[in-house]
Every structure is written in C-alpha cells, then in structure tokens.
Amino acid sequence: MLGDGKRIVLSFDDGPGPVSALESILETLRENDIKAEFYVLGDEVRQFPEATRMIADQGHDIQNHSWSHPNLAQETEEEVRRELERTQDIIEEVSGVRPTKIRPPYGAGGFRGHLDPELVRVAEGLSLTIVTWDIDTEDWKAPQGLGEEKIAYIEEQFTQMPRKVSFNVLMHVLAGTARDLPSFISQLREWGFAIAEP
C-alpha cells in the first residue's frame, strides 16, 4: 500500500482567514483527532485575532508565513526582517505562542540548494527554522479544493518518493479545501498513511 509505515503532517498556509473556511477545517481536524500546522500571515492575524487564538487553543501549531506574502527571495534583508519580525510579534501578542518555523511564501528561497542568504540570516536571528513541504496539493488552483484530479496528482507525487517515510502535505485555508478535507483525510487513511502530529 502507498502509505504503509509512512507518516504525514497536514499543514495549511495563508490563514487565519477566511474565518468560515478555517472554522470548518478546525472542525474536521477535531472530528478526526488530528493536530496540524498553520502557517499564518501577520496581516491576517491582525485582522482576525480571534481566529488565530482558535488555532492555538485547539492545540495546533501556529507558524510564520510572513506578514504580507511577498517573494522573500527578492526582498532586501531589511525587508525580510520586517516581514518576519512583525509576524513573530503579532502572533505572540495575539496567541501567546512564538513561532519556531518560517515557511516562505511560494517556498521562495526556502528549498535546499536554493536557500536565500538574506532569509537564512534573518531566520537564524529570530531562531526560526526554514521549512517547505513535500506534497503540494495545488488546492488553490481552479477548480479549488481537493477533487479527483488533485487526488490523482497527489498520489503521483507520493509514488515518486517511494523511499521517503515522512511527508508534509501543503494545503491552504480556502473554502474548497475546507469542503473536501474530510474525504481527503479518508483517502490518506485508505492509502495507509498515519497522520502524525507536527
């Protein structure tokens, strides 16, 4: 079986808004007894402090995804620092949690072999580990969500990494993803994957 002896962590970028999608995602995770990672945007945390607290209160990881979603690999070191530092501060202020990881928007400057030196320096200064993902669901592409085509694409990605035993699966806080998440979790379990805590 595809997932025999293998683990995955579910992760969501770009939250905490839209709040209705987030609430639905959190409910599905609760029903399935899953803890996930949320890489949130500082500017959205500012707009939706209650939603941010909801993520933390339900025991999920809250991590840094920058303030305004720029391509950090193209920014000056000063700008990168501003993006990450402001986000660290507002997440801590709102939720009491200080992030330990940064997932750069678009993965830009974050993949091994393509690390952006400014991002590396700023992340080190803020004690942040730079992370990306292993499986891209492309849930944001039309048609939004995790429908049949996306499932086939995800399956293909898993089969291309036969020796890997632990995967981070990237999704986004979106209405389509929220709608399809219950069936996607069932599919992952059917494939034999264990869903691990971050």
Side-chain angles (χ1 to χ4, degrees):
M1 253 176 22
L2 193 58
D4 266 0
K6 299 183 176 186
R7 294 182 322 236
I8 59 169
V9 168
L10 301 181
S11 62
F12 298 87
D13 280 9
D14 296 357
V19 176
S20 57
L22 176 72
E23 286 174 338
S24 166
I25 287 168
L26 289 174
E27 192 177 330
T28 299
L29 294 173
R30 198 165 50 240
E31 284 166 359
N32 285 277
D33 201 22
I34 291 169
K35 296 285 182 257
E37 292 183 316
F38 288 83
Y39 290 84
V40 296
L41 295 166
D43 191 36
E44 289 210 12
V45 171
R46 184 177 58 83
Q47 293 172 62
F48 308 114
E50 288 301 319
T52 308
R53 276 193 287 275
M54 220 178 346
I55 295 170
D57 290 347
Q58 294 185 24
H60 302 288
D61 271 16
I62 298 189
Q63 303 293 1
N64 194 322
H65 193 47
S66 80
W67 183 269
S68 62
H69 211 277
N71 180 330
L72 294 173
Q74 294 171 357
E75 302 288 343
T76 63
E77 186 165 340
E78 194 182 351
E79 193 46 44
V80 172
R81 182 170 294 110
R82 225 172 56 123
E83 282 278 333
L84 302 195
E85 221 163 25
R86 287 177 76 194
T87 305
Q88 288 292 88
D89 292 345
I90 197 155
I91 291 173
E92 186 169 29
E93 186 186 312
V94 162
S95 70
V97 176
R98 194 148 181 93
T100 55
K101 300 177 190 171
I102 164 71
R103 177 142 75 190
Y106 320 105
F111 280 98
R112 235 173 313 180
H114 300 278
L115 287 171
D116 177 66
E118 286 87 8
L119 176 58
V120 169
R121 280 196 294 274
V122 171
E124 276 175 4
L126 294 169
S127 305
L128 287 167
T129 305
I130 300 170
V131 295
T132 48
W133 59 84
D134 303 301
I135 302 290
D136 186 354
T137 60
E138 297 199 339
D139 57 344
W140 54 273
K141 282 192 180 171
Q144 202 191 80
L146 301 155
E148 272 174 51
E149 278 169 48
K150 307 279 175 69
I151 296 293
Y153 173 62
I154 291 162
E155 185 173 14
E156 191 184 312
Q157 291 178 75
F158 278 125
T159 54
Q160 283 166 4
M161 297 183 261
R163 284 188 292 283
K164 200 166 167 52
V165 293
S166 149
F167 299 88
N168 186 295
V169 176
L170 167 67
M171 289 171 280
H172 296 79
V173 178
L174 293 168
T177 302
R179 179 196 64 223
D180 296 339
L181 187 60
S183 61
F184 180 49
I185 289 170
S186 304
Q187 179 65 72
L188 289 168
R189 288 182 166 151
E190 222 169 275
W191 284 334
F193 287 101
I195 300 179
E197 292 211 2

Coordinates of all heavy atoms in Angstrom, one line a residue, residues 84-174:
L84 N 9.2 39.2 8.8 CA 9.2 38.0 9.7 C 9.0 38.5 11.2 O 8.3 37.8 12.0 CB 10.4 37.2 9.6 CG 10.7 36.6 8.2 CD1 11.8 35.5 8.2 CD2 9.5 36.1 7.5
E85 N 9.7 39.6 11.5 CA 9.7 40.0 12.9 C 8.3 40.5 13.3 O 7.8 40.1 14.4 CB 10.7 41.2 13.0 CG 11.5 41.2 14.3 CD 12.7 42.1 14.2 OE1 12.7 43.0 13.4 OE2 13.7 41.8 14.9
R86 N 7.7 41.3 12.4 CA 6.3 41.8 12.7 C 5.4 40.6 12.9 O 4.5 40.6 13.8 CB 5.8 42.7 11.6 CG 6.4 44.0 11.5 CD 5.9 44.8 10.3 NE 4.6 45.3 10.5 CZ 3.8 45.8 9.6 NH1 4.2 45.7 8.3 NH2 2.6 46.3 9.9
T87 N 5.5 39.6 12.1 CA 4.7 38.4 12.2 C 4.9 37.7 13.5 O 3.9 37.3 14.2 CB 4.9 37.5 11.0 OG1 4.7 38.3 9.8 CG2 3.9 36.4 10.9
Q88 N 6.2 37.5 13.8 CA 6.5 36.8 15.1 C 5.8 37.6 16.3 O 5.2 36.9 17.1 CB 8.0 36.9 15.4 CG 8.9 35.9 14.5 CD 8.6 34.5 14.8 OE1 7.7 33.8 14.2 NE2 9.4 33.9 15.7
D89 N 5.9 38.9 16.2 CA 5.4 39.7 17.4 C 3.9 39.6 17.5 O 3.4 39.5 18.6 CB 5.9 41.1 17.2 CG 7.4 41.3 17.4 OD1 8.0 40.3 17.9 OD2 8.0 42.3 17.0
I90 N 3.2 39.8 16.3 CA 1.8 39.8 16.4 C 1.2 38.4 16.8 O 0.2 38.3 17.5 CB 1.1 40.4 15.2 CG1 -0.3 40.8 15.5 CG2 1.2 39.4 14.0 CD1 -0.9 41.8 14.7
I91 N 1.8 37.3 16.3 CA 1.3 36.0 16.6 C 1.5 35.8 18.1 O 0.6 35.3 18.8 CB 2.1 34.9 15.9 CG1 1.7 34.9 14.4 CG2 1.8 33.5 16.4 CD1 2.6 34.0 13.5
E92 N 2.6 36.2 18.7 CA 2.9 36.0 20.1 C 1.9 36.9 20.9 O 1.3 36.4 21.9 CB 4.3 36.4 20.4 CG 4.7 36.1 21.9 CD 6.1 36.2 22.2 OE1 6.8 37.0 21.5 OE2 6.6 35.5 23.1
E93 N 1.7 38.1 20.5 CA 0.8 39.0 21.2 C -0.6 38.5 21.2 O -1.3 38.6 22.2 CB 0.9 40.4 20.4 CG 0.1 41.5 21.0 CD 0.1 42.7 20.1 OE1 1.2 43.1 19.5 OE2 -1.0 43.3 19.8
V94 N -1.1 37.9 20.1 CA -2.5 37.5 20.0 C -2.7 36.1 20.6 O -3.7 35.9 21.2 CB -2.9 37.5 18.5 CG1 -4.1 36.7 18.2 CG2 -3.1 38.9 18.0
S95 N -1.7 35.2 20.4 CA -2.0 33.8 20.8 C -1.1 33.4 22.0 O -1.3 32.3 22.5 CB -1.7 32.9 19.6 OG -0.3 32.8 19.4
G96 N -0.1 34.1 22.3 CA 0.8 33.7 23.4 C 1.9 32.7 22.9 O 2.7 32.2 23.7
V97 N 1.8 32.4 21.6 CA 2.8 31.4 21.1 C 3.8 32.1 20.2 O 3.4 33.0 19.4 CB 2.0 30.4 20.2 CG1 3.0 29.4 19.5 CG2 1.0 29.7 21.0
R98 N 5.1 31.8 20.3 CA 6.1 32.4 19.5 C 6.5 31.3 18.4 O 7.0 30.2 18.8 CB 7.3 32.8 20.2 CG 8.2 33.7 19.4 CD 8.9 34.8 20.2 NE 9.8 35.6 19.4 CZ 9.4 36.8 18.8 NH1 8.2 37.2 19.0 NH2 10.2 37.5 18.1
P99 N 6.3 31.5 17.1 CA 6.6 30.5 16.1 C 8.1 30.1 16.1 O 8.9 30.9 16.5 CB 6.3 31.2 14.8 CG 5.2 32.2 15.2 CD 5.6 32.7 16.6
T100 N 8.3 28.9 15.7 CA 9.7 28.3 15.6 C 10.0 28.0 14.2 O 11.2 27.6 13.9 CB 9.8 27.0 16.4 OG1 8.7 26.1 16.0 CG2 9.5 27.3 17.9
K101 N 9.1 28.2 13.3 CA 9.3 27.9 11.9 C 8.8 29.0 11.0 O 7.8 29.6 11.3 CB 8.6 26.6 11.4 CG 9.0 25.3 12.2 CD 8.2 24.2 11.7 CE 8.3 22.9 12.6 NZ 7.4 21.9 12.2
I102 N 9.5 29.2 9.9 CA 9.1 30.1 8.8 C 8.9 29.2 7.5 O 9.9 28.5 7.1 CB 10.0 31.3 8.6 CG1 9.7 32.0 7.2 CG2 11.5 30.8 8.6 CD1 8.5 32.8 7.1
R103 N 7.7 29.3 6.9 CA 7.6 28.8 5.6 C 7.4 29.9 4.6 O 6.5 30.7 4.6 CB 6.4 27.9 5.5 CG 6.2 27.3 4.0 CD 5.7 25.9 4.0 NE 4.3 25.8 4.4 CZ 3.7 24.6 4.6 NH1 4.4 23.4 4.6 NH2 2.5 24.5 4.9
P104 N 8.5 30.2 3.8 CA 8.4 31.4 2.9 C 7.3 31.2 1.9 O 7.1 30.2 1.4 CB 9.8 31.4 2.3 CG 10.4 30.1 2.4 CD 9.7 29.4 3.6
P105 N 6.6 32.3 1.6 CA 5.6 32.3 0.6 C 6.1 31.8 -0.8 O 7.3 32.1 -1.1 CB 5.2 33.8 0.4 CG 5.4 34.3 1.8 CD 6.6 33.7 2.3
Y106 N 5.4 30.9 -1.4 CA 5.8 30.3 -2.7 C 6.9 29.3 -2.5 O 7.5 28.8 -3.4 CB 6.1 31.3 -3.8 CG 5.2 32.5 -3.9 CD1 5.7 33.7 -3.4 CD2 3.9 32.4 -4.3 CE1 4.8 34.8 -3.4 CE2 3.1 33.5 -4.3 CZ 3.5 34.7 -3.9 OH 2.7 35.8 -3.9
G107 N 7.4 29.1 -1.2 CA 8.6 28.3 -1.0 C 9.8 29.1 -1.4 O 10.9 28.5 -1.4
A108 N 9.7 30.3 -1.9 CA 10.8 31.1 -2.5 C 12.0 31.3 -1.5 O 11.8 31.8 -0.4 CB 10.3 32.4 -3.0
G109 N 13.1 30.8 -1.9 CA 14.3 31.0 -1.0 C 14.4 30.0 0.1 O 15.3 30.0 0.9
G110 N 13.4 29.0 0.1 CA 13.4 28.1 1.2 C 13.8 26.6 0.9 O 13.9 25.8 1.9
F111 N 13.9 26.3 -0.3 CA 14.2 24.9 -0.7 C 15.7 24.6 -0.6 O 16.5 25.5 -1.0 CB 13.7 24.5 -2.0 CG 12.2 24.2 -2.0 CD1 11.3 25.2 -2.3 CD2 11.8 23.0 -1.6 CE1 9.9 24.9 -2.3 CE2 10.4 22.7 -1.5 CZ 9.5 23.7 -1.9
R112 N 16.1 23.5 -0.1 CA 17.5 23.1 0.0 C 18.2 23.2 -1.4 O 17.6 22.8 -2.4 CB 17.6 21.6 0.4 CG 18.5 21.5 1.7 CD 18.5 20.1 2.2 NE 17.1 19.6 2.3 CZ 16.7 18.4 2.7 NH1 17.6 17.6 3.1 NH2 15.5 18.1 2.8
G113 N 19.4 23.8 -1.4 CA 20.0 24.0 -2.7 C 19.7 25.4 -3.3 O 20.3 25.8 -4.2
H114 N 18.6 26.0 -2.8 CA 18.1 27.3 -3.3 C 17.8 28.2 -2.2 O 16.9 29.1 -2.3 CB 16.9 27.1 -4.2 CG 17.1 26.2 -5.3 ND1 17.7 26.6 -6.5 CD2 16.8 24.9 -5.5 CE1 17.7 25.6 -7.4 NE2 17.2 24.5 -6.8
L115 N 18.6 28.1 -1.1 CA 18.3 28.9 0.1 C 18.7 30.4 -0.2 O 19.8 30.6 -0.7 CB 19.0 28.4 1.3 CG 18.4 27.1 1.9 CD1 19.3 26.5 3.0 CD2 17.0 27.4 2.5
D116 N 17.8 31.3 0.2 CA 18.1 32.7 0.0 C 19.0 33.2 1.2 O 18.5 33.0 2.4 CB 16.8 33.5 0.0 CG 17.0 35.0 -0.1 OD1 17.6 35.4 -1.2 OD2 16.7 35.7 0.8
P117 N 20.2 33.7 1.0 CA 21.1 34.1 2.1 C 20.5 35.1 3.1 O 20.7 35.0 4.3 CB 22.3 34.6 1.4 CG 22.0 34.8 0.0 CD 20.8 34.0 -0.3
E118 N 19.7 36.1 2.6 CA 19.1 37.1 3.5 C 18.1 36.4 4.4 O 18.0 36.6 5.6 CB 18.4 38.2 2.7 CG 19.3 39.2 2.1 CD 19.8 38.7 0.7 OE1 19.2 37.7 0.2 OE2 20.6 39.4 0.1
L119 N 17.3 35.5 3.8 CA 16.3 34.8 4.5 C 16.9 33.9 5.6 O 16.5 33.9 6.8 CB 15.4 33.9 3.6 CG 14.4 33.0 4.2 CD1 13.4 33.8 5.1 CD2 13.6 32.2 3.2
V120 N 18.0 33.3 5.2 CA 18.7 32.4 6.2 C 19.2 33.2 7.4 O 19.0 32.8 8.5 CB 19.9 31.7 5.5 CG1 20.8 31.0 6.5 CG2 19.4 30.6 4.5
R121 N 19.8 34.4 7.1 CA 20.3 35.2 8.2 C 19.2 35.7 9.1 O 19.4 35.6 10.3 CB 21.1 36.4 7.6 CG 22.5 36.0 7.2 CD 23.4 37.3 7.0 NE 22.9 38.1 5.9 CZ 23.3 37.9 4.6 NH1 24.1 36.9 4.3 NH2 22.9 38.8 3.7
V122 N 18.2 36.2 8.5 CA 17.1 36.7 9.3 C 16.4 35.6 10.2 O 16.1 35.7 11.3 CB 16.0 37.4 8.4 CG1 14.8 37.7 9.3 CG2 16.6 38.6 7.8
A123 N 16.2 34.4 9.5 CA 15.6 33.3 10.2 C 16.5 32.9 11.4 O 15.9 32.6 12.5 CB 15.4 32.1 9.3
E124 N 17.8 32.8 11.2 CA 18.7 32.4 12.3 C 18.6 33.4 13.4 O 18.5 33.1 14.6 CB 20.1 32.3 11.8 CG 20.4 31.0 11.2 CD 21.8 30.9 10.6 OE1 22.6 31.9 10.7 OE2 22.1 29.9 10.0
G125 N 18.5 34.7 13.1 CA 18.4 35.8 14.1 C 17.2 35.7 14.9 O 17.1 36.1 16.1
L126 N 16.1 35.2 14.3 CA 14.8 35.0 15.0 C 14.6 33.6 15.5 O 13.5 33.3 16.0 CB 13.7 35.4 14.1 CG 13.6 36.9 13.6 CD1 12.6 37.1 12.5 CD2 13.3 37.8 14.8
S127 N 15.6 32.8 15.5 CA 15.5 31.4 15.9 C 14.4 30.6 15.2 O 13.6 29.9 15.8 CB 15.3 31.3 17.4 OG 16.3 32.0 18.1
L128 N 14.3 30.9 13.9 CA 13.3 30.2 13.0 C 13.9 29.2 12.1 O 14.9 29.5 11.5 CB 12.5 31.2 12.2 CG 11.5 32.2 12.9 CD1 11.1 33.3 12.0 CD2 10.3 31.4 13.4
T129 N 13.4 28.0 12.1 CA 13.8 27.0 11.1 C 13.0 27.3 9.8 O 11.8 27.4 9.8 CB 13.4 25.6 11.6 OG1 14.0 25.4 12.9 CG2 14.0 24.5 10.7
I130 N 13.7 27.3 8.7 CA 13.1 27.4 7.4 C 12.6 26.1 6.9 O 13.3 25.1 6.9 CB 14.1 28.0 6.3 CG1 14.6 29.4 6.8 CG2 13.4 28.1 5.0 CD1 15.8 29.9 6.0
V131 N 11.3 26.0 6.6 CA 10.7 24.8 6.1 C 9.9 25.0 4.8 O 9.5 26.1 4.6 CB 9.8 24.2 7.2 CG1 10.5 23.8 8.5 CG2 8.6 25.1 7.6
T132 N 9.7 23.9 4.1 CA 8.8 24.0 2.9 C 7.8 22.8 3.0 O 7.2 22.7 4.0 CB 9.7 23.9 1.6 OG1 10.6 22.8 1.7 CG2 10.5 25.2 1.4
W133 N 7.7 22.0 2.0 CA 6.7 21.0 2.0 C 7.2 19.8 1.1 O 8.1 20.0 0.4 CB 5.3 21.5 1.5 CG 5.4 22.0 0.1 CD1 5.3 21.3 -1.0 CD2 5.6 23.4 -0.2 NE1 5.4 22.2 -2.1 CE2 5.6 23.5 -1.6 CE3 5.8 24.6 0.5 CZ2 5.8 24.7 -2.3 CZ3 5.9 25.8 -0.2 CH2 6.0 25.8 -1.6
D134 N 6.5 18.7 1.2 CA 6.9 17.5 0.3 C 5.8 17.3 -0.7 O 6.1 16.9 -1.9 CB 7.0 16.3 1.2 CG 8.1 16.5 2.3 OD1 9.2 16.7 2.0 OD2 7.7 16.4 3.5
I135 N 4.6 17.5 -0.3 CA 3.5 17.2 -1.3 C 2.7 18.5 -1.4 O 2.2 19.1 -0.5 CB 2.5 16.1 -0.7 CG1 3.3 14.8 -0.4 CG2 1.3 15.9 -1.6 CD1 3.8 14.0 -1.6
D136 N 2.5 18.9 -2.7 CA 1.8 20.1 -3.0 C 0.4 19.7 -3.5 O 0.3 19.1 -4.6 CB 2.5 21.0 -4.0 CG 1.9 22.3 -4.3 OD1 0.8 22.5 -3.7 OD2 2.4 23.1 -5.0
T137 N -0.6 20.0 -2.8 CA -2.0 19.6 -3.2 C -2.5 20.4 -4.4 O -3.5 20.1 -5.0 CB -3.0 19.7 -2.1 OG1 -3.1 21.0 -1.6 CG2 -2.6 18.8 -0.9
E138 N -1.9 21.6 -4.5 CA -2.4 22.6 -5.5 C -3.9 22.9 -5.3 O -4.7 23.2 -6.3 CB -2.1 22.1 -7.0 CG -0.6 22.0 -7.2 CD -0.3 22.0 -8.7 OE1 -1.1 21.7 -9.6 OE2 0.9 22.3 -9.0
D139 N -4.3 22.9 -4.1 CA -5.7 23.1 -3.7 C -6.3 24.5 -4.1 O -7.5 24.7 -4.3 CB -6.0 22.8 -2.2 CG -5.1 23.7 -1.3 OD1 -4.1 24.3 -1.8 OD2 -5.4 23.8 -0.2
W140 N -5.4 25.4 -4.3 CA -5.8 26.8 -4.7 C -6.1 26.9 -6.2 O -6.7 27.9 -6.6 CB -4.7 27.8 -4.3 CG -3.3 27.4 -4.9 CD1 -2.4 26.5 -4.3 CD2 -2.8 27.8 -6.1 NE1 -1.3 26.4 -5.1 CE2 -1.5 27.2 -6.2 CE3 -3.2 28.7 -7.1 CZ2 -0.7 27.3 -7.4 CZ3 -2.4 28.8 -8.2 CH2 -1.1 28.2 -8.3
K141 N -5.6 26.0 -7.0 CA -5.8 26.1 -8.4 C -7.2 25.7 -8.8 O -7.8 24.8 -8.2 CB -4.9 25.1 -9.2 CG -3.5 25.6 -9.3 CD -2.7 24.8 -10.3 CE -1.2 25.3 -10.4 NZ -0.4 24.3 -11.2
A142 N -7.8 26.4 -9.8 CA -9.2 26.0 -10.2 C -9.2 24.6 -10.8 O -8.3 24.3 -11.6 CB -9.6 27.0 -11.3
P143 N -10.2 23.8 -10.6 CA -11.3 24.1 -9.5 C -10.7 23.9 -8.1 O -10.0 22.9 -7.9 CB -12.3 23.0 -9.8 CG -11.5 21.8 -10.5 CD -10.4 22.5 -11.2
Q144 N -10.9 24.9 -7.3 CA -10.4 25.0 -6.0 C -10.8 23.7 -5.2 O -11.9 23.2 -5.3 CB -10.9 26.2 -5.3 CG -10.1 26.7 -4.1 CD -10.8 27.8 -3.3 OE1 -11.6 27.5 -2.5 NE2 -10.4 29.0 -3.7
G145 N -9.9 23.3 -4.3 CA -10.2 22.2 -3.4 C -9.4 20.9 -3.7 O -8.3 21.0 -4.3
L146 N -9.9 19.8 -3.2 CA -9.1 18.5 -3.3 C -10.0 17.5 -4.1 O -10.2 16.4 -3.6 CB -8.8 18.1 -1.9 CG -7.9 19.0 -1.1 CD1 -8.1 18.8 0.4 CD2 -6.5 18.9 -1.4
G147 N -10.4 17.9 -5.3 CA -11.2 16.9 -6.1 C -10.4 15.8 -6.7 O -9.2 15.7 -6.5
E148 N -11.1 15.1 -7.6 CA -10.4 13.9 -8.2 C -9.1 14.1 -8.9 O -8.2 13.4 -8.7 CB -11.4 13.2 -9.2 CG -12.3 12.2 -8.6 CD -13.4 11.7 -9.6 OE1 -13.0 11.3 -10.7 OE2 -14.6 11.8 -9.2
E149 N -9.0 15.2 -9.7 CA -7.8 15.5 -10.4 C -6.7 15.7 -9.4 O -5.5 15.3 -9.6 CB -8.0 16.8 -11.3 CG -8.6 16.6 -12.6 CD -9.0 17.9 -13.2 OE1 -8.1 18.8 -13.3 OE2 -10.1 18.1 -13.7
K150 N -6.9 16.5 -8.4 CA -5.9 16.8 -7.4 C -5.5 15.6 -6.7 O -4.3 15.4 -6.4 CB -6.5 17.9 -6.4 CG -7.0 19.1 -7.0 CD -6.0 20.1 -7.4 CE -6.6 21.3 -8.1 NZ -7.4 22.2 -7.3
I151 N -6.4 14.7 -6.3 CA -6.1 13.4 -5.6 C -5.2 12.6 -6.5 O -4.2 12.0 -6.0 CB -7.4 12.7 -5.3 CG1 -8.3 13.4 -4.3 CG2 -7.1 11.3 -4.7 CD1 -7.7 13.7 -2.9
A152 N -5.4 12.5 -7.8 CA -4.6 11.8 -8.7 C -3.2 12.4 -8.7 O -2.2 11.6 -8.7 CB -5.2 11.8 -10.1
Y153 N -3.1 13.7 -8.7 CA -1.8 14.4 -8.8 C -1.1 14.2 -7.4 O 0.2 13.9 -7.4 CB -2.1 15.9 -9.0 CG -0.8 16.8 -8.9 CD1 0.2 16.6 -9.7 CD2 -0.8 17.8 -7.9 CE1 1.4 17.4 -9.6 CE2 0.4 18.6 -7.8 CZ 1.4 18.4 -8.6 OH 2.6 19.2 -8.5
I154 N -1.8 14.2 -6.3 CA -1.1 13.9 -5.0 C -0.6 12.5 -5.0 O 0.5 12.2 -4.5 CB -2.2 14.2 -3.9 CG1 -2.5 15.7 -3.8 CG2 -1.7 13.7 -2.6 CD1 -3.8 16.0 -3.1
E155 N -1.4 11.5 -5.5 CA -1.0 10.1 -5.5 C 0.3 10.0 -6.3 O 1.2 9.3 -5.8 CB -2.1 9.3 -6.0 CG -1.8 7.8 -6.0 CD -3.0 6.9 -6.4 OE1 -4.0 7.5 -7.0 OE2 -3.0 5.7 -6.1
E156 N 0.3 10.6 -7.4 CA 1.5 10.6 -8.3 C 2.8 11.1 -7.5 O 3.8 10.5 -7.6 CB 1.2 11.4 -9.5 CG 2.2 11.3 -10.6 CD 1.8 12.3 -11.7 OE1 0.7 12.4 -12.1 OE2 2.7 13.0 -12.1
Q157 N 2.6 12.2 -6.8 CA 3.7 12.7 -6.0 C 4.2 11.7 -5.0 O 5.4 11.5 -4.8 CB 3.4 14.0 -5.3 CG 3.1 15.2 -6.3 CD 2.7 16.4 -5.5 OE1 3.5 17.1 -4.8 NE2 1.4 16.7 -5.5
F158 N 3.3 11.1 -4.3 CA 3.7 10.1 -3.3 C 4.5 8.9 -4.0 O 5.5 8.5 -3.4 CB 2.5 9.5 -2.6 CG 2.0 10.3 -1.4 CD1 0.7 10.7 -1.4 CD2 2.8 10.7 -0.4 CE1 0.2 11.5 -0.4 CE2 2.3 11.5 0.7 CZ 1.0 11.9 0.7
T159 N 4.0 8.5 -5.1 CA 4.7 7.3 -5.8 C 6.1 7.7 -6.3 O 6.9 6.8 -6.4 CB 3.8 6.8 -7.0 OG1 3.5 7.9 -7.8 CG2 2.5 6.2 -6.5
Q160 N 6.3 9.0 -6.5 CA 7.6 9.4 -7.0 C 8.7 9.5 -5.9 O 9.8 9.7 -6.1 CB 7.5 10.8 -7.7 CG 6.9 10.7 -9.1 CD 6.5 12.1 -9.6 OE1 6.7 13.1 -8.9 NE2 5.9 12.1 -10.8
M161 N 8.2 9.3 -4.6 CA 9.1 9.3 -3.5 C 9.0 8.0 -2.7 O 8.6 8.1 -1.5 CB 8.9 10.5 -2.6 CG 9.1 11.9 -3.3 SD 8.8 13.3 -2.2 CE 7.2 13.8 -2.7
P162 N 9.3 6.9 -3.3 CA 9.0 5.6 -2.7 C 9.8 5.4 -1.4 O 9.3 4.6 -0.5 CB 9.4 4.6 -3.7 CG 10.3 5.3 -4.7 CD 9.9 6.7 -4.7
R163 N 10.9 6.0 -1.2 CA 11.7 5.7 0.0 C 11.5 6.6 1.1 O 12.0 6.4 2.2 CB 13.2 5.6 -0.4 CG 13.6 4.4 -1.1 CD 15.1 4.2 -1.3 NE 15.6 5.2 -2.2 CZ 15.5 5.1 -3.6 NH1 14.9 4.1 -4.1 NH2 16.0 6.1 -4.3
K164 N 10.8 7.7 0.8 CA 10.5 8.7 1.9 C 9.5 8.2 2.8 O 8.5 7.6 2.4 CB 10.1 10.0 1.2 CG 10.2 11.2 2.1 CD 10.1 12.5 1.2 CE 9.9 13.7 2.1 NZ 10.9 13.8 3.2
V165 N 9.7 8.4 4.1 CA 8.7 7.8 5.1 C 7.9 8.9 5.8 O 6.9 8.6 6.5 CB 9.4 6.9 6.2 CG1 9.9 5.7 5.5 CG2 10.5 7.7 6.9
S166 N 8.3 10.2 5.7 CA 7.6 11.2 6.4 C 7.4 12.4 5.5 O 8.3 12.8 4.8 CB 8.4 11.5 7.6 OG 8.2 12.8 8.0
F167 N 6.1 12.9 5.4 CA 5.8 13.9 4.4 C 5.0 15.1 5.1 O 4.2 14.8 6.0 CB 4.8 13.3 3.3 CG 5.3 12.2 2.5 CD1 5.2 10.9 3.0 CD2 6.0 12.4 1.3 CE1 5.7 9.8 2.3 CE2 6.5 11.3 0.6 CZ 6.3 10.0 1.0
N168 N 5.3 16.3 4.6 CA 4.5 17.4 4.9 C 3.6 17.7 3.7 O 4.1 18.0 2.6 CB 5.4 18.6 5.3 CG 4.6 19.8 5.8 OD1 3.7 20.4 5.1 ND2 4.8 20.1 7.1
V169 N 2.3 17.7 4.0 CA 1.3 18.0 2.9 C 0.8 19.4 3.0 O 0.3 19.8 4.0 CB 0.1 17.0 3.0 CG1 -0.9 17.3 1.9 CG2 0.6 15.5 2.8
L170 N 1.0 20.2 1.9 CA 0.6 21.6 1.9 C -0.8 21.8 1.4 O -1.1 21.4 0.3 CB 1.6 22.3 1.0 CG 1.2 23.8 0.5 CD1 1.3 24.7 1.7 CD2 2.2 24.3 -0.6
M171 N -1.6 22.5 2.2 CA -2.9 23.0 1.7 C -3.0 24.4 2.1 O -2.1 25.0 2.6 CB -4.0 22.1 2.4 CG -4.0 20.7 1.9 SD -5.1 19.7 2.9 CE -4.1 19.3 4.3
H172 N -4.2 25.0 1.9 CA -4.4 26.4 2.2 C -5.8 26.6 2.9 O -6.7 25.7 2.7 CB -4.4 27.3 0.9 CG -3.1 27.3 0.2 ND1 -2.6 26.2 -0.5 CD2 -2.0 28.2 0.3 CE1 -1.4 26.5 -1.0 NE2 -1.0 27.7 -0.5
V173 N -5.9 27.7 3.6 CA -7.2 27.9 4.3 C -8.1 28.5 3.2 O -8.1 29.7 2.9 CB -7.0 28.9 5.5 CG1 -8.4 29.2 6.1 CG2 -6.1 28.3 6.5
L174 N -8.9 27.7 2.6 CA -9.8 28.0 1.5 C -11.1 27.3 1.6 O -11.1 26.1 2.2 CB -9.2 27.6 0.1 CG -7.9 28.3 -0.3 CD1 -7.3 27.6 -1.5 CD2 -8.2 29.7 -0.7

